């Protein structure tokens, strides 16, 4: 981390390591990656955190059922499943936190002791239902008939324990005021309404320790208890950047540069933890609150939340083996409004792959390269202007930038793909293959090809956060890496400057960006 301005700090939830990642987890992590890459290309300092949630009964039970100690189990899954999946999806995180790391555990204990010293913690008895799948204390009114968890459809345990409690209820008025003053702090509006209604309905104090098992961070003053896994996990966002460290220390400087988080990305099932419990914990410690919690919807299979426990989990590799990594990254953000649920279907993904990626984008690029090779000896012709395309690009840039900054990935990508369609229309209308038949048209032919190449240069930069590998291939085949530097260094703010792509560089026919699907089927 550099020591200048505050970084744009974005987090994903930390994932339970009871199993390997499925496409629901990948959905959040890819969204975070696209958003942070976009901010980096805007020239901002960025910090992107992801990681794993390793304590609690769920992970312990899974490890035990697999004949492993919980620590060995977590180590194995993190190294063989979680980190490799993020690498395979081209996730450029800056830090990966594991809740079993000393840096986290020590800071959590110190934070909790601080809350106790301030009078926010007391001992009491917890009696009630608990869902191990959610790792959540439930109210009887939350449950389906026969005491089933509405998310997992499995029976809840009935707990009766002496625990430590956090005075959550004391923060309700302050939380309501916070969302009134800062509606942007919980998005989309439907999520905020749910949180406000929940707060208005009355909130009980929260049990923040467990005594019936020991896989967790010990309560510092009562080591017969471990800290409740959610209390432990939520703190990762702050422990990873130096929570509570002395001001002049490395951790203290990191904290000053990153905190508060700009965006916590979460699925809607874990909204209340992030929009009620987490800000209350920070209020109790008198720390600044995150600027935004954004709750996205679920990927559904057969109308239900896709999940491994219901045997509907799809591994990212099942899709990327067939469609490629960049199509995976593109598809979910393009097809589903961020904040709404969306059904995954192979047919829809196949249709969009072919029409939007292979035809509209991939073909445009390969036709352009082929025509420059054929009509211009493979060299980008002289810089030329086109007022219509230039205006369309400027409008695309501002629409895409504001949509993506608002986490409306679908509108942002649509704006960019509409520009791609317009460039296809330009080529169809100008018919360079007809112009090429008469040498008197050479200047016009060159201008058409330059303008098309220039539009593709802009498309590559704008789509780079979404599809980093494919756009880099395209960038290099335009010869732009040699004249303009690497694609990741291109600034979003400069994208609409017409005439950026220099003439004279040699194009090369690269690999087909989006191969026809039938060629990939066994
Ligand atoms: N460990 C907690 C989070 C702690 S954050 C301080 C947890 N982990 S989880 O692995 O169960 O889920 C992590 C995220 O994956 C959640 O945001 C959840 O919404 C998301 N998803 C799990 N299944 C999903 C879908 N089918 N679709 C979209 N997202 C889904 O909760």
């Amino acid at each position: 981390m550099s020591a200048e301005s505050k970084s744009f700090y974005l987090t994903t939830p930390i994932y339970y390591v009871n199993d390997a990642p499925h496409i629901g987890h990948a959905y959040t992590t890819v969204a975070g990656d696209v958003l942070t890459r976009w901010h980096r290309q805007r020239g901002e300092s960025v910090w992107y955190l992801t990681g794993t949630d390793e304590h609690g009964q769920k992970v312990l039970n899974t490890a035990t059922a697999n004949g492993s100690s919980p620590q060995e189990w977590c180590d194995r899954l993190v190294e063989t499943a979680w980190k490799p999946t993020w690498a395979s999806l081209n996730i450029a995180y800056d830090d990966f936190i594991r809740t079993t790391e000393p840096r986290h555990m020590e800071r959590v204990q110190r934070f909790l002791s601080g809350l106790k010293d301030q009078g926010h913690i007391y001992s009491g008895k917890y009696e009630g239902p608990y869902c191990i799948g959610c790792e959540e204390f439930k109210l009887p009114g939350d449950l389906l008939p026969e005491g089933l968890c509405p998310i997992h459809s499995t029976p809840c345990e009935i707990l009766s324990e002496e625990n430590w409690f956090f005075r959550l209820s004391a923060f309700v008025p302050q939380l309501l005021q916070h969302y009134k003053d800062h509606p942007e702090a919980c998005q989309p509006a439907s999520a905020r309404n749910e949180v406000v209604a929940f707060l208005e309905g009355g909130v009980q104090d929260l049990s923040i320790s467990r005594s019936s098992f020991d896989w967790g961070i010990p309560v510092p003053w009562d080591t017969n208890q471990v800290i409740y896994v959610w209390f432990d996990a939520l703190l990762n966002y702050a422990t990873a950047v130096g929570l509570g460290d002395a001001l002049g220390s490395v951790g203290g400087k990191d904290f000053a540069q990153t905190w508060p988080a700009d965006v916590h990305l979460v699925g809607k099932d874990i909204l209340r933890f992030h929009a009620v419990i987490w800000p209350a914990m920070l209020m109790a410690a008198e720390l600044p609150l995150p600027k935004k919690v954004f709750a996205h919807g679920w990927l559904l299979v057969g109308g239900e939340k896709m999940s491994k426990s219901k045997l509907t989990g799809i591994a990212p590799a099942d899709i990327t083996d067939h469609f490629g990594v960049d199509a995976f990254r593109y598809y979910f953000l393009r097809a589903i409004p961020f904040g709404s649920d969306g059904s995954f279907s192979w047919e829809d993904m196949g249709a969009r792959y072919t029409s939007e990626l292979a035809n509209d984008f991939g073909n445009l690029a390969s036709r352009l390269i082929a025509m420059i090779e054929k009509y211009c000896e493979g060299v980008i012709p002289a810089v030329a202007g086109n007022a219509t395309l230039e205006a369309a690009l400027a409008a695309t840039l501002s629409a895409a930038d504001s949509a993506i900054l608002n986490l409306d990935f679908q509108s942002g990508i649509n704006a960019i793909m509409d520009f791609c369609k317009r460039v296809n229309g330009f080529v169809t209308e100008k018919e360079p293959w007809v112009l090429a038949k008469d040498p008197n048209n050479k200047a016009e032919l060159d201008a058409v090809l330059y303008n098309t190449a220039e539009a593709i240069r802009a498309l590559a930069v704008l789509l780079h956060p979404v599809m980093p590998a494919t756009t880099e291939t395209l960038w290099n085949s335009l010869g732009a890496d040699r004249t303009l530097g690497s694609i990741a260094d291109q600034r979003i703010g400069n994208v609409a400057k017409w005439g950026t792509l220099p003439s004279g560089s040699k194009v090369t026919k690269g690999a087909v960006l989006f191969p026809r699907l039938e060629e990939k089927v066994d």
Side-chain angles (χ1 to χ4, degrees):
M1 267 187 249
S2 68
E4 316 112 33
S5 58
K6 174 175 171 337
S7 300
F8 175 80
Y9 180 29
L10 183 127
T11 67
T12 71
I14 49 171
Y15 303 100
Y16 289 126
V17 282
N18 58 315
D19 214 331
H22 61 54
I23 60 173
H25 308 125
Y27 179 52
T28 324
T29 313
V30 166
D33 191 59
V34 170
L35 188 61
T36 44
R37 284 178 184 267
W38 188 272
H39 278 267
R40 279 192 208 106
Q41 286 207 227
R42 293 178 101 249
E44 297 169 31
S45 148
V46 168
W47 199 250
Y48 182 27
L49 176 73
T50 191
T52 42
D53 190 353
E54 306 190 357
H55 292 129
Q57 247 174 310
K58 172 147 103 170
V59 171
L60 174 63
N61 290 356
T62 313
T64 310
N66 284 279
S68 181
S69 80
Q71 188 66 62
E72 278 165 4
W73 171 263
C74 294
D75 291 349
R76 187 162 69 239
L77 271 199
V78 167
E79 293 309 326
T80 62
W82 288 86
K83 286 186 173 174
T85 299
W86 299 154
S88 76
L89 294 176
N90 232 331
I91 306 297
Y93 55 75
D94 296 292
D95 192 8
F96 188 108
I97 187 155
R98 300 182 52 186
T99 53
T100 52
E101 287 176 78
R103 63 168 171 158
H104 174 74
M105 298 181 42
E106 287 160 16
R107 288 175 177 138
V108 168
Q109 287 189 320
R110 185 169 62 196
F111 180 89
L112 187 58
S113 298
L115 289 201
K116 177 138 187 301
D117 293 347
Q118 296 303 313
H120 298 298
I121 305 288
Y122 62 92
S123 74
K125 177 151 185 142
Y126 181 81
E127 269 181 334
Y130 187 88
C131 170
I132 297 177
C134 300
E135 293 281 15
E136 186 175 9
F137 303 96
K138 300 277 186 185
L139 294 173
D142 294 339
L143 303 181
L144 298 176
E146 292 166 36
L148 299 185
C149 163
I151 292 180
H152 292 89
S153 312
T154 46
C156 290
E157 284 196 338
I158 301 299
L159 299 188
S160 173
E161 294 185 16
E162 291 295 331
N163 292 150
W164 293 95
F165 283 73
F166 169 52
R167 291 187 202 282
L168 179 62
S169 59
F171 294 93
V172 169
Q174 226 175 310
L175 286 165
L176 282 168
Q177 192 60 42
H178 173 62
Y179 291 120
K180 205 168 161 208
D181 296 344
H182 299 283
E184 75 291 349
C186 184
Q187 295 280 328
S190 53
R192 185 175 61 257
N193 294 339
E194 185 203 311
V195 166
V196 168
F198 175 73
L199 286 166
E200 284 171 345
V203 173
Q204 297 183 350
D205 288 347
L206 177 72
S207 164
I208 52 128
S209 69
R210 297 292 311 276
S211 59
S212 49
F213 63 96
D214 66 358
W215 179 236
I217 304 177
V219 172
W221 62 87
D222 177 5
T223 49
N224 291 326
Q225 305 248 351
V226 290
I227 298 172
Y228 169 45
V229 62
W230 268 100
F231 200 88
D232 156 356
L234 287 163
L235 279 163
N236 90 88
Y237 303 129
T239 61
V241 293
L243 173 72
D245 288 10
L247 273 184
S249 67
V250 175
K253 284 184 195 150
D254 282 353
F255 198 72
Q257 205 194 320
T258 40
W259 197 258
D262 290 83
V263 183
H264 291 314
L265 286 183
V266 300
K268 64 180 186 178
D269 48 323
I270 58 171
L271 173 65
R272 286 185 198 172
F273 293 100
H274 286 82
V276 175
I277 299 175
W278 178 226
M281 288 163 65
L282 292 164
M283 283 170 175
E286 297 178 14
L287 287 167
L289 305 187
K291 292 189 197 150
K292 193 191 295 293
V293 172
F294 194 103
H296 64 69
W298 286 338
L299 301 188
L300 307 176
V301 169
E304 277 195 66
K305 178 181 179 229
M306 194 203 61
S307 79
K308 273 281 177 72
S309 57
K310 289 192 177 168
L311 302 178
T312 52
I314 302 171
D318 295 341
I319 296 181
T320 56
D321 285 352
H322 187 59
F323 291 102
V325 168
D326 278 352
F328 178 90
R329 293 173 56 103
Y330 172 89
Y331 173 72
F332 292 99
L333 296 178
R334 162 68 185 85
I336 305 167
F338 206 57
S340 308
D341 292 347
S343 291
F344 171 72
S345 99
W346 291 93
E347 291 73 21
D348 185 50
M349 181 154 185
R352 281 193 199 279
Y353 177 95
T354 300
S355 74
E356 297 171 20
L357 295 178
N359 292 350
D360 287 353
F361 184 46
N363 269 356
L364 173 67
S366 59
R367 278 159 76 206
L368 183 261
I369 302 280
M371 287 191 286
I372 290 185
E373 285 187 327
K374 193 163 168 198
Y375 306 136
C376 311
E377 291 164 349
V379 173
I380 304 270
V383 174
N386 179 288
T388 316
L389 284 182
E390 192 176 346
L393 176 59
T396 300
L397 170 64
S398 86
D401 193 40
S402 65
I404 292 177
L405 294 185
N406 278 322
L407 288 91
D408 180 358
F409 298 102
Q410 187 182 56
S411 302
I413 295 173
N414 277 349
I416 302 168
M417 295 311 279
D418 282 349
F419 179 67
C420 183
K421 281 204 177 74
R422 200 177 249 264
V423 181
N424 274 302
F426 171 78
V427 175
T428 308
E429 180 203 321
K430 299 289 178 186
E431 299 185 308
W433 49 91
V434 174
L435 293 173
K437 289 187 176 145
D438 181 349
N440 290 327
N441 295 331
K442 178 67 175 144
E444 198 186 341
L445 172 65
D446 280 358
V448 170
L449 294 182
Y450 179 82
N451 282 314
T452 309
E454 177 61 343
I456 292 176
R457 186 266 315 154
L459 280 168
V461 176
L462 291 171
L463 288 171
H464 185 59
V466 184
M467 299 189 283
T470 314
T471 50
E472 189 174 356
T473 304
L474 172 56
W475 185 253
N476 297 350
S477 71
L478 286 173
D481 54 331
R482 277 167 276 132
T483 50
L484 296 172
S486 89
I487 187 166
D489 290 338
Q490 308 306 306
R491 291 283 160 265
I492 297 285
N494 294 336
V495 117
K497 279 189 194 146
W498 206 263
T500 295
L501 186 66
S503 63
S505 55
K506 194 118 179 85
V507 302
T508 40
K509 198 168 159 216
V512 177
L513 298 182
F514 300 99
R516 298 225 163 273
L517 289 177
E518 49 274 24
E519 291 167 20
K520 294 180 149 196
V521 177
D522 294 335

